[in-house]
Amino acid sequence: MAMTIERAAPPREDRLQAGTAYCGTCAQLRERLGRKDGGCFNQANRSFGQSFGCQFTLSLAMLNTLRNTVVIVHGPVGCGFWSVGGIGATRNMKRLRDPAQGSTIQISTNLDESDVISGGETKLREAVIYADREFRPEAIVVTSTCVPALIGDDVDKILDELRKDVSADLVSVNCEGFKTKLMATAYDAVYNGILKNLSKKKTERESLVIPDKLDDILWNYNNARTVNVFNVGSMGRPDELELARLLTALELKVNFIPCFASPKDFRKVLDAALNVSICGTHDDYYVQHISEAYGIPSIIDTMPIGRKGTGRWLMKIAEHFHIEEQAKLLIEKEDAALDEALEPYRKILKGKRAYISGGEMRIFVTAELVNDLGLEIAGLKSHHIDHFVEPVLDDAPVSGDTCIDIASQHPFEQANLLRKIKPDVLLMHIGGGNFTAKHGLPVLPLFNPGFNYMGYSGAFEIAYRLKRILSNSQYNKNIQKYRPLPYRESWYEKDVGAYIKE
Ligand code: SF4
């Protein structure tokens, strides 16, 4: 039976028993994940915390990438304001897919104190009508912030009533920040809106002028070789091109969604032969639903980062199409070319100690990659933890004693951990560079949509960038000297997880 699509996606604390508070060794983490009760990660909390992200902001980041779409932020103007800084980069990424694309169009209903008393429904109706008449988009997406949820605006009902008056598809995304501490719930919230409103029925075949048997054969052949690859906002066009290169070498056709897709692409999704996730944390809600509802097989396993991750990812796809031998030959050829290219870098990087912080899947596959370059893993920090990490954790090149902190932000714990483990280089989730630089160590972003991290070419680019940042970290040393971190010595004497309540 297919999953029921509710008005809003449930918080991941409930759906996946995911947690955001843990500190211990990788061996202890393995043991807890293996327990029948799932380790009860979501029972843990902190008696003191600095900050955690809001799911609305991550939803907006994903939705801003959609082409031919207007995004309406239903809430106070401040909720969407943070994303304005990234709009230029998002526009450029859109244009790498389609040079005719304009900028992201975002409208705020600008709810204020009087709307909290009288309701925000009138403003929302006006905004939807304005967006449709002014911009003629394929879709209008309405994102709900905390305020309309608290005052009881029924966004789904308003959009139902407006459908007859507008030409665009209307999509409601219920992603109020207060509902979860787990920012990754944002992915489910966005997919919930897409499932309710866009991925509903298969496309009609675009037939030739006189449909004939050949037309049918081509249609079926193309669909039978088409793979939907679920991209993530943290990957850029260079990553897509590398994955497309590898899958094309296996004679497969690739369709990238959801980031930078057009609304109509979510209908085409239902014609493909296979759905392949790049990161289970990102896609399971959507992929599981369309697998169950439409019978499209899916793969959620590892990320195609590093030699091992990429090889494993390719082999899983090859197994589905029964082309394992072809895939093995491709992997051998790519491995040999990569080895030759990495040789000079391995000599320089050997024995350096890395600390990696970011999403649960990404940190473990990146650990494998940097270990392949000769680095040791000194410590890890993940935004949250759930069962999707299990396949990559078992293969990760970490010792049982390697410390892992599960914390959505909370930079004070990171400062304490880094003082204790003393790494040589930090691989960090983008956006935390300002306080991370104060450690005086070289920092490589864990992702950057302008760089290539995935596949074989990505492994080479990371080696090149690591060598470059390790050769001169004077800038961050100066930041540490003149703008030190604000914590007292007494904090560094405590355990990293001193404020975590089990
Ligand atoms: S927590 Fe609520 S009010 Fe704050 S930014 Fe997120 S959606 Fe807006």
Side-chain angles (χ1 to χ4, degrees):
M1 228 199 29
M3 283 163 68
T4 316
I5 297 303
E6 306 285 352
R7 194 190 72 83
R12 287 198 175 194
E13 290 93 329
D14 300 340
R15 188 172 74 83
L16 298 172
Q17 284 73 52
T20 53
Y22 173 80
C23 187
T25 66
C26 285
Q28 289 164 337
L29 182 71
R30 267 197 192 99
E31 188 270 321
R32 263 182 85 157
L33 278 166
R35 270 168 34 189
K36 279 211 178 72
D37 62 2
C40 293
F41 283 107
N42 65 344
Q43 302 292 315
N45 209 333
R46 282 180 172 77
S47 55
F48 167 76
Q50 273 177 313
S51 60
F52 61 86
C54 146
Q55 66 153 339
F56 165 79
T57 58
L58 188 53
S59 300
L60 197 56
M62 196 169 161
L63 292 166
N64 279 343
T65 68
L66 295 182
R67 286 151 43 189
N68 311 319
T69 300
V70 172
V71 179
I72 296 179
V73 173
H74 188 36
V77 73
C79 286
F81 181 74
W82 73 273
S83 75
V84 173
I87 288 227
T90 307
R91 181 199 56 211
N92 293 342
M93 306 294 270
K94 281 185 189 177
R95 287 187 180 161
L96 288 175
R97 273 88 170 166
D98 174 4
Q101 282 296 307
S103 200
T104 293
I105 302 169
Q106 197 184 96
I107 295 171
S108 172
T109 52
N110 190 17
L111 299 184
D112 58 23
E113 286 86 344
S114 61
D115 299 315
V116 171
I117 310 296
S118 54
E121 299 193 358
T122 307
K123 280 188 169 177
L124 179 58
R125 282 176 203 277
E126 285 170 5
V128 172
I129 299 285
Y130 171 77
D132 189 60
R133 307 247 156 104
E134 183 72 17
F135 303 108
R136 292 286 168 205
E138 259 181 61
I140 298 170
V141 180
V142 177
T143 55
S144 294
T145 63
C146 295
V147 174
L150 291 170
I151 62 177
D153 282 0
D154 191 340
V155 174
D156 288 83
K157 183 162 163 273
I158 295 168
L159 296 193
D160 279 344
E161 289 166 5
L162 283 171
R163 280 199 171 90
K164 62 180 184 336
D165 301 323
V166 296
S167 58
D169 280 326
L170 299 182
V171 179
S172 65
V173 173
N174 299 290
C175 51
E176 306 85 358
F178 71 86
K179 283 194 172 165
T180 175
K181 280 185 183 171
L182 243 137
M183 217 174 164
T185 303
Y187 304 131
D188 305 347
V190 172
Y191 280 133
N192 176 275
I194 290 170
L195 284 166
K196 278 188 303 185
N197 304 286
L198 294 178
S199 294
K200 278 185 145 172
K201 67 179 179 65
K202 295 194 175 199
T203 49
E204 295 294 316
R205 184 186 64 180
E206 288 168 19
S207 62
L208 300 175
V209 179
I210 308 169
D212 59 13
K213 275 220 153 85
L214 181 63
D215 184 24
D216 275 345
I217 293 166
L218 275 175
W219 165 261
N220 289 329
Y221 176 78
N222 279 334
N223 287 342
R225 306 291 291 179
T226 299
V227 177
N228 292 321
V229 174
F230 285 72
N231 57 7
V232 291
S234 58
M235 65 189 273
R237 192 63 182 155
D239 285 335
E240 287 183 358
L241 292 175
E242 169 66 353
L243 298 184
R245 177 183 76 83
L246 295 168
L247 294 177
T248 308
L250 297 176
E251 297 171 78
L252 298 172
K253 286 181 58 153
V254 191
N255 187 25
F256 286 106
I257 53 158
C259 298
F260 303 101
S262 255
K264 64 177 180 309
D265 295 338
F266 292 101
R267 281 191 261 280
K268 284 192 205 152
V269 164
L270 306 179
D271 296 325
L274 181 67
N275 290 312
V276 183
S277 168
I278 277 177
C279 171
T281 296
H282 199 265
D283 308 311
D284 81 295
Y285 185 86
Y286 184 76
V287 166
Q288 195 191 338
H289 178 80
I290 57 175
S291 290
E292 290 177 5
Y294 300 96
I296 306 169
S298 58
I299 296 173
I300 298 181
D301 193 73
T302 189
M303 290 184 97
I305 288 182
R307 172 200 307 269
K308 232 168 152 182
T310 305
R312 178 173 164 143
W313 189 79
L314 285 173
M315 282 309 293
K316 293 271 172 194
I317 298 170
E319 280 162 23
H320 174 82
F321 291 100
H322 308 294
I323 49 174
E324 292 94 324
E325 286 311 312
Q326 213 178 325
K328 270 185 203 155
L329 286 175
L330 175 69
I331 292 166
E332 274 169 27
K333 194 170 134 253
E334 294 288 333
D335 270 349
L338 183 63
D339 265 335
E340 197 184 326
L342 290 181
E343 210 185 307
Y345 295 93
R346 286 199 174 110
K347 284 183 191 140
I348 298 161
L349 298 172
K350 191 171 171 22
K352 301 281 186 214
R353 301 177 73 250
Y355 164 81
I356 310 175
S357 167
E360 59 174 354
M361 294 288 282
R362 190 134 192 163
I363 59 170
F364 283 107
V365 291
T366 304
E368 189 277 314
L369 191 163
V370 298
N371 186 251
D372 189 25
L373 300 176
L375 287 90
E376 291 164 22
I377 311 305
L380 300 155
K381 179 168 172 278
S382 172
H383 301 321
H384 75 270
I385 195 81
D386 59 37
H387 70 90
F388 288 112
V389 79
E390 287 180 61
V392 287
L393 177 60
D394 288 341
D395 277 354
V398 288
S399 77
D401 294 338
T402 307
C403 183
I404 178 161
D405 185 32
I406 308 294
S408 163
Q409 305 187 15
H410 304 301
F412 73 111
E413 287 183 5
Q414 173 176 281
N416 185 321
L417 178 59
L418 291 181
R419 177 78 78 92
K420 289 185 169 73
I421 62 176
K422 298 187 176 35
D424 299 303
V425 60
L426 315 177
L427 286 91
M428 293 287 307
H429 187 281
I430 213 161
N434 49 356
F435 58 80
T436 301
K438 295 180 177 183
H439 293 287
L441 294 164
V443 182
L444 180 74
L446 188 65
F447 62 86
N448 180 331
F451 301 169
N452 176 202
Y453 287 74
M454 293 188 178
Y456 299 93
S457 59
F460 176 78
E461 185 161 335
I462 290 183
Y464 164 78
R465 290 188 183 280
L466 275 173
K467 175 194 157 269
R468 205 172 69 163
I469 60 164
L470 275 159
S471 61
N472 185 354
S473 57
Q474 193 53 45
Y475 182 71
N476 285 3
K477 280 185 189 145
N478 285 342
I479 290 179
Q480 182 188 40
K481 189 170 165 192
Y482 297 110
R483 288 282 181 272
L485 285 162
Y487 311 113
R488 293 193 178 133
E489 276 309 307
S490 56
W491 165 234
Y492 293 103
E493 285 156 18
K494 290 187 178 164
D495 287 342
V496 178
Y499 292 101
I500 295 175
K501 297 189 297 178
E502 290 287 323

